[in-house]
Amino acid sequence: SHEFELGTNHYDQKDFLESIEELGKHLGPCILRLPEIFSPSMIKLLYRYLNAWPSDKKLAVHLTGEEWWKRAGALEPLLKNIRGSQISVLVDDKLEVPLHPEKLLTSDHLLVRFYGRPK
């Protein structure tokens, strides 16, 4: 997710998915960390990637771009699209999340990353 345009390098994704099969029942959610430049205007690329993601694998999407969190309504279409799937969002404490926590629950898992801000 860091080096290639999202969803264009199918060989790396295939290799990754094959390698995590070794973890079997110990596999937790995978993380798709998107770069800060990945904005809501690029959501169609994300949907294409998510539609190709295996439905039996949990995935947490880490949206690092501030526009997702600060622009009113930017996150809601994605949350609606992934609700009820094995896909969630990863929330971190670098950005203030303006949504109620229950709106972020789209699946049976939610990942929270704490950087440990001093305040």
Side-chain angles (χ1 to χ4, degrees), residues 62-118:
H62 189 187
L63 302 163
T64 60
E66 289 186 13
E67 191 175 350
W68 289 97
W69 303 100
K70 293 193 175 188
R71 194 179 89 203
L75 192 57
E76 278 81 1
L78 174 62
L79 295 175
K80 183 178 179 183
N81 184 277
I82 63 175
R83 185 158 278 112
S85 69
Q86 290 290 327
I87 301 169
S88 68
V89 293
L90 185 149
V91 180
D92 66 43
D93 68 349
K94 282 188 176 182
L95 299 170
E96 292 184 26
V97 178
L99 299 172
H100 293 284
E102 67 273 3
K103 289 189 176 186
L104 293 172
L105 296 174
T106 59
S107 68
D108 67 353
H109 66 282
L110 176 69
L111 273 66
V112 179
R113 182 175 183 180
F114 291 103
Y115 291 95
R117 298 186 307 183

